[in-house]
Amino acid sequence: MSKESLTVPVRRLASPPRPDTEDSQAVPEPQDGVPADRGKRPAPASGGAGLRLDIQGLRAVAVSLVVFAHSGVSSLAGGYVGVDVFFVISGFLITSLMLREWGRDGRISLSRFYARRALRLLPASTLVVVATLAGSWLFLGPLRFAEYAKDAIASAWYVVNFRLADAGTDYFNTDVPPSPFQHFWSLAVEEQFYLIWPIVLIIALKIFRRRVLLTIPLLALAAVSFALNLQLTESSPSWAYFGSQGRIWELAVGALVALAANRLDAIPRPVAAALSWAGLAAIGYAAVAFDDDTVFPGHNAAIPVLGAAAVLAGGAVAGRYGAAAVLSLRPAVWIGGISYAWYLWHWPLIVIVPAAAGFGEHDGPLRLVAALCGIGLAWSTLRLVEDPMRFHRAFKARAGRGLSLGLGLSAVAAAVAVVAVQFPPSLTSGGERQDTKEVIAQAPDHHAALTRLLEQPVDKLPSNLEPSLHDVAYKRTAVYTDDCALTMEDVKQTQPCLYGDTSAERTVVLFGDSHVAQWFPALDAIAREHHWRLYSFTKNACKIAQITIEYNKGPYSTCDDWRAVTLEKILKMDPELVITSSSNSAKLWGEGDTATEWGKGQAETYRRLQRGGIQVLTLLDNPWPKNNAVDCAVAHPKDLSACARPRSEADPKPDVTKALVAAAKAEDVTVIDPYDWVCAPSGNCPIVAGNTMVYRDFGHLADGFVEALTPVVEDRLLRLFGADLSRHPGA
């Protein structure tokens, strides 16, 4: 998906929180796997004799929705709402557990609580972390292995959600393949909640005598979290999705149902039955009606959250006429029993198995087959790892041992990841190729030398690739490290963002989105050589044209605000030259033809700049590769031609390009078409020229390639404007 499409695809890549099963559930587990008598009225959530089989079935529904959604089953595209169902279940069960302990012992032991959590979660999760790390090393290639290892470490210590939330704000991460550890984010969210809630509950139990008053701190926590959820969904979707601060309210809803458990018996059985069915229907509706385009979590998350709460509340007294009629069926109960382990295994299998089989990451049928194979692994993990550790007498009686085991397992998983990074997987490559930067710089005709390099096919990844693939993908120029390329949310530039010869008299301004910022390595070098001050005014995905485009299902208003502020700054600076460029791929917000409106908006910006007597140069958008060029090179190191693209297919919006050229001609603005700098005269647009990657991702030129182009760009600029920027091309 194009970054310039202004979507933030962080939500669906690996969203489900894991199904959490405590040692003690809403009611004690039956022994020897014998289910409680389905004919009896289920015990209330506050305590009782029978297992709430409907909760096990609800777990099965939730994990199945998540697995099918991640496997690409289009009819259940909204299955990611299983995330929210699991959060509610977990909040309900663990609060019930603590309330029973308080009622039985008059106290809640934090050491026992955290020991139970460690014994329940860490043996299986440590196994999956290590296995996933091994699969990543073997099959996912060397490019992102170091990042995956960092994800493994963050997963082991329950902070991976913060890492994912922060990565989601990186504009250049939007087309990066999902981490095989991404699904561990939900464990982190829950454990962060459980660092707070037991302490809050203990304090509240000591302060308040009446049980109803215990809801006060929980309601406050839920209200603040829900408000943050709404705000973050609007301003920072990745933090709304992965951050614990905007998710705690979902666990709190489950905890509120547990606090109300002693009053649930007052609900008439027909009403309770209807309530449980309505809750299950709400979950089903969300799974079918929602999809990747649904704004989530936000207010939409309330549907599955309240639905799960209704199933839990109604199921306590509804008996066989409620949703328990289907949720308590033996297959559902069985799946619910292995749901935690199935959740742990399903995502690594979806990510790694297609890669191991030589298929693309979006191979739907294979993803589904791989995820379903996780059922067998889940059952084995439950029987051979989870249960033996949870119920071993060496740990059950002594909380300290359980805590020590948990810390030890987390440390082992992290240590394995640290060691693995020291021995990264290798990448098969070809022999040495000509040094791109050196060949162009030393040639008497720089452009002719570039053309010869582009015409020479590079079929195998050069052994002397410079910069390395990792540096191409992850290293950024000063414009980004200095925070001079504004994010989607920013409007004001806090840094001076002055480069080139900072003491010079003549001034050049870069103005546009990331597709003008990508030219910084060449333009900064040229500015220093010819004594120009170079100011950078760039904002991710923001066009210079006077149009409003779509972002996150709404108008990209921060772009409009930034553009207005920046134009005023540029006019006050009165530079000799403004160099503009932007990606020509975006969706217009509102009515009208995109190309027509874009052309009109571009012409309006040109007129405004030229009324101030400023010369304007437009660099048209560069040709785009088939997909993420770096990932393609890793996948096809011996057949790079599979990643090349014909020039005729390399423009994602040729109608927009045509409109921009017409607008520039009408306003007498100089235009440079960079296609001849990227594609060979034969029409082939390679991803490697000489020993240098041409692209750094799916649409941006690589910094190393732009740096190598410096003499070519310099020749063109000097012919057009002169070294002192006094020449007027249109004169």
Side-chain angles (χ1 to χ4, degrees), residues 20-29 45 51-52 55-56 59 92-94 96-97 100 337 390:
D20 182 15
T21 310
E22 275 291 328
D23 297 344
S24 300
Q25 302 180 21
V27 289
E29 283 194 31
L51 172 65
R52 280 285 301 271
I55 296 179
Q56 290 292 75
R59 281 197 181 98
F92 173 79
L93 292 178
I94 293 183
S96 299
L97 174 72
R100 284 200 311 278
R390 287 171 65 195

Side-chain angles (χ1 to χ4, degrees), residues 8 228 371 565 636 723:
V8 182
L228 284 172
V565 170
H636 305 281

Side-chain angles (χ1 to χ4, degrees), residues 467-478 480-481 696 702-704:
S468 69
L469 279 176
H470 184 274
D471 287 351
V472 169
Y474 288 103
K475 281 199 172 181
R476 298 286 181 262
T477 61
Y480 292 97
T481 58
R696 70 168 178 242
D703 294 338

